[in-house]
Amino acid sequence: MKTLHQTRGGSGSPDFSLAQYVNDRPYAASSLLAVALAKVFSTARSGRGGSRQELADRPIPLEVTIPVLPCRGGPPIAHRLFEPLGWTVEALPIPLDEGFPEWGSSRYVRLRLTGEVRLAEMLNHLHVLLPVLDESKHYWQGPDEVDKLMRSGAGWLPNHPEKELIARRYLGRAGALKRVALARLAELGDDDVEMVDPVEDEEVRLPEQNRLPLNAQRYAAVIQVLIETGAHSVIDLGCGSGQFLDRLVKSGAFTRVAGSDVSARSLQYAAGRLRLEQMNERQADRIHLFHGALTYEDDRFAGFDAAVLMEVIEHVDPSRLEAVERVVWGAARPGLVVVTTPNSEYNVLYEGLVGMRHPDHRFEWTRSEFAEWSEHVATAYGYTVQRRGVGEVDQTLGAPTQMAVFTRQEGRDE
């Protein structure tokens, strides 16, 4: 007996190859599997490992096999989506009927992924990309759908070459949500603002001729501080994919530049962005990338004129902030520390924003909360601190980004 699918679906419908006879949901991986992964492996997806955090932070050899997966666009789409994330991809098309090879292939593939990836990253890749390959959502999409996408895509989606395709397919027919997602990805990404409608951009309150992505304004503000204070060696703590490092290297004002991050994948992106393999020996000696966690003392953090924590502290669990303070201000003790973080008061001006500004944020501070924290750190570790705003200033709410500049006091460099 034919199902209701036959009466409502034609040859152009997403599930046409099987919908004539049976709904494929019980037999193929889909957005329903992505939902199940999110619920069953919620702790693993978060990347939190408790007392064994170093294991959760470590890439491990993984193999993922999905016997039947809807794949709109065929195997090439699977390669485009997974290979930039470090996976070796095998996507074999499944015939419509093995007894009738002349019928050709179905829209289903057998997918096999192999690679050295953190477990949390693997689960988040699948959580986002299974619905993208299926190009069909089988649950109601609420206003927090963009937050879900950004949370699962944290650390990899903003720099994915197919991020526009991913956002479009993940959010389906929700056009307004897609515009919000692309605006937020552009703010986190590098040079992709042109694909965002200016009215959806978070800098909408700036005059058109002065609009700049907020990340570009942060980079300029921090570099100005570094140059004004005469810093020649700088370490970017939590450097991510290297966007700020790239600007430090290109400025020519800094003789030694280093970047550290807990994500090995981000460091690979940073190395590619900086084109380290193409540098000559003298250029390569000027920059150093290494894997490290801010909650553990590391001799490689020390010996720099300045350290930068740009949009980093809000990604740290509040219970672990004290460890970061001890590592950076207590052990590494650079002469200058520059910290930027969102001003949560400004969030009401962001159209379409639900919750915090980024789904991976553990907290976002008001200006008074940031002032209280920065004064505490400065007093505890022998620094003075000055605060300022970055971005378009609202007279009531302040600037979207708040920045603290810590200067080590003379005689307190033990």
Side-chain angles (χ1 to χ4, degrees):
M1 180 176 178
K2 295 180 180 179
T3 69
L4 180 62
H5 259 312
Q6 182 183 7
T7 62
R8 72 180 185 185
S11 60
S13 66
D15 296 311
F16 174 73
S17 59
L18 285 183
Q20 293 283 342
Y21 304 103
V22 66
N23 188 314
D24 69 339
R25 297 305 99 183
Y27 309 104
S30 67
S31 58
L32 297 180
L33 175 59
V35 172
L37 287 173
K39 291 185 178 296
V40 175
F41 299 109
S42 59
T43 301
R45 283 182 61 229
S46 72
R48 301 178 194 178
S51 61
R52 305 299 300 277
Q53 185 63 40
E54 68 279 4
L55 294 179
D57 292 338
R58 184 183 307 157
I60 58 176
L62 292 172
E63 177 177 328
V64 179
T65 300
I66 303 176
V68 182
L69 174 65
C71 188
R72 297 286 292 175
I77 289 290
H79 285 270
R80 286 167 55 188
L81 295 182
F82 283 102
E83 285 180 346
L85 300 173
W87 292 103
T88 298
V89 180
E90 181 183 275
L92 302 177
I94 296 175
L96 278 171
D97 191 315
E98 293 182 355
F100 298 90
E102 64 274 15
W103 288 6
S105 298
S106 69
R107 72 179 187 93
Y108 299 85
V109 300
R110 180 184 184 276
L111 182 69
R112 180 173 175 266
L113 307 172
T114 55
E116 286 203 7
V117 181
R118 289 175 58 230
L119 179 62
E121 290 178 341
M122 179 271 284
L123 291 169
N124 285 315
H125 295 166
L126 294 177
H127 182 246
V128 172
L129 297 180
L130 290 183
V132 169
L133 288 170
D134 190 7
E135 203 174 6
S136 183
K137 282 289 185 75
H138 299 90
Y139 57 85
W140 182 77
Q141 290 182 273
D144 63 342
E145 203 71 15
V146 174
D147 285 340
K148 293 178 184 177
L149 173 62
M150 301 295 286
R151 185 179 301 112
S152 296
W156 61 271
L157 181 55
N159 295 293
H160 196 294
E162 300 290 348
K163 63 185 173 188
E164 186 175 4
L165 171 69
I166 292 170
R168 176 168 54 80
R169 284 191 170 197
Y170 184 89
L171 295 168
R173 297 183 180 87
L177 294 181
K178 283 186 284 188
R179 290 191 293 272
V180 171
L182 291 175
R184 291 173 67 177
L185 286 171
E187 196 277 328
L188 291 169
D190 195 14
D191 297 316
D192 300 297
V193 181
E194 66 274 10
M195 71 182 188
V196 181
D197 187 333
V199 302
E200 297 294 338
D201 197 285
E202 69 170 337
E203 281 70 54
V204 67
R205 291 182 171 266
L206 286 172
E208 271 192 48
Q209 67 272 21
N210 294 332
R211 280 184 191 154
L212 285 172
L214 185 54
N215 57 357
Q217 296 180 66
R218 281 193 291 261
Y219 301 150
V222 174
I223 286 179
Q224 181 179 353
V225 168
L226 296 174
I227 292 175
E228 287 176 351
T229 55
H232 296 293
S233 59
V234 181
I235 182 167
D236 186 5
L237 298 170
C239 66
S241 59
Q243 297 174 43
F244 184 59
L245 284 174
D246 189 40
R247 286 157 175 81
L248 288 175
V249 171
K250 288 177 179 177
S251 75
F254 309 105
T255 56
R256 186 161 65 102
V257 175
S260 173
D261 201 275
V262 72
S263 167
R265 175 62 54 204
S266 292
L267 291 172
Q268 291 178 6
Y269 281 128
R273 183 188 300 276
L274 296 168
R275 298 179 174 86
L276 291 185
E277 293 184 354
Q278 301 174 29
M279 289 184 177
N280 60 42
E281 186 175 351
R282 184 181 63 82
Q283 291 172 324
D285 286 343
R286 183 181 166 217
I287 183 165
H288 179 46
L289 300 180
F290 62 92
H291 185 270
L294 283 175
T295 50
Y296 299 96
E297 291 188 20
D298 192 323
D299 291 342
R300 295 173 296 178
F301 293 157
F304 293 88
D305 296 335
V308 175
L309 291 89
M310 185 180 297
E311 308 300 288
V312 169
I313 58 171
E314 63 274 10
H315 293 269
V316 179
D317 286 325
S319 62
R320 307 184 78 190
L321 266 180
E322 186 177 348
V324 174
E325 297 162 12
R326 186 171 59 252
V327 167
V328 176
W329 285 267
R333 293 196 61 75
L336 185 78
V337 183
V338 184
V339 176
T340 73
T341 193
N343 168 19
S344 65
E345 297 167 71
Y346 199 89
N347 288 357
V348 296
L349 300 181
Y350 284 36
E351 184 180 355
L353 179 62
V354 178
M356 287 187 280
R357 203 174 299 180
H358 188 287
D360 188 54
H361 288 180
R362 305 299 194 257
F363 61 87
E364 289 180 356
W365 280 329
T366 63
R367 286 170 291 174
S368 62
E369 289 170 332
F370 185 54
E372 181 181 357
W373 173 81
S374 58
E375 291 290 349
H376 158 73
V377 172
T379 301
Y381 293 100
Y383 283 76
T384 59
V385 62
Q386 294 181 334
R387 287 172 297 277
R388 62 192 74 174
V390 179
E392 175 73 357
V393 177
D394 180 273
Q395 292 203 356
T396 302
L397 304 171
T401 292
Q402 43 191 344
M403 178 168 66
V405 180
F406 296 83
T407 304
R408 193 180 62 212
Q409 295 177 336
E410 293 296 328
R412 291 294 301 274
D413 58 350
E414 67 275 2

